[in-house]
Amino acid sequence: MAVLLALISGIASFFNLYLLDGQLLLQGLLTLLAWVALFTFRGKKSRSSYEHDGTRIFTFRFALILLAVLGSSLVLLAKFSGWN
C-alpha cells in the first residue's frame, strides 16, 4: 500500500510540475503523501549485497519510496523558492 501511495505521489508531482504549473498547495499535499508512505512502509528496507561482503543495499520497493519522497520534496523546495 505504501509503495502505491509513493508511486501516485511521485507521478502526480511530475504532472504538477510540468502540466499544472506547479501549484504550491497541491505539491505540499503530494509531498506529505510521499512522507506518509515512507513512514507507513512495513516491508524490508535493506538486504545483504550480492557480493556477501557485509554491506547492505535498499530493496527495490523501499528505493522507489525514497525516490518519490526525494523527488516530491525537491519539487516542493523548487516551487517554494520561486523557481519556474
Side-chain angles (χ1 to χ4, degrees):
M1 185 65 156
V3 177
L4 182 62
L5 283 175
L7 286 175
I8 289 170
S9 173
I11 292 169
S13 290
F14 175 76
F15 284 123
N16 182 35
L17 180 64
Y18 288 108
L19 297 179
L20 298 178
D21 198 27
Q23 298 174 354
L24 189 61
L25 180 62
L26 177 62
Q27 188 58 45
L29 292 173
L30 291 172
T31 302
L32 182 66
L33 182 67
W35 280 98
V36 166
L38 179 68
F39 287 119
T40 59
F41 181 67
R42 298 285 182 224
K44 286 185 69 173
K45 294 176 177 65
S46 64
R47 60 163 304 230
S48 60
S49 69
Y50 297 108
E51 287 86 23
H52 301 291
D53 58 355
T55 58
R56 309 279 299 167
I57 58 174
F58 289 135
T59 59
F60 184 71
R61 292 186 299 164
F62 188 65
L64 280 177
I65 294 172
L66 281 178
L67 185 64
V69 167
L70 182 66
S72 294
S73 299
L74 285 176
V75 169
L76 180 65
L77 179 67
K79 294 314 280 180
F80 190 70
S81 65
W83 178 74
N84 287 324

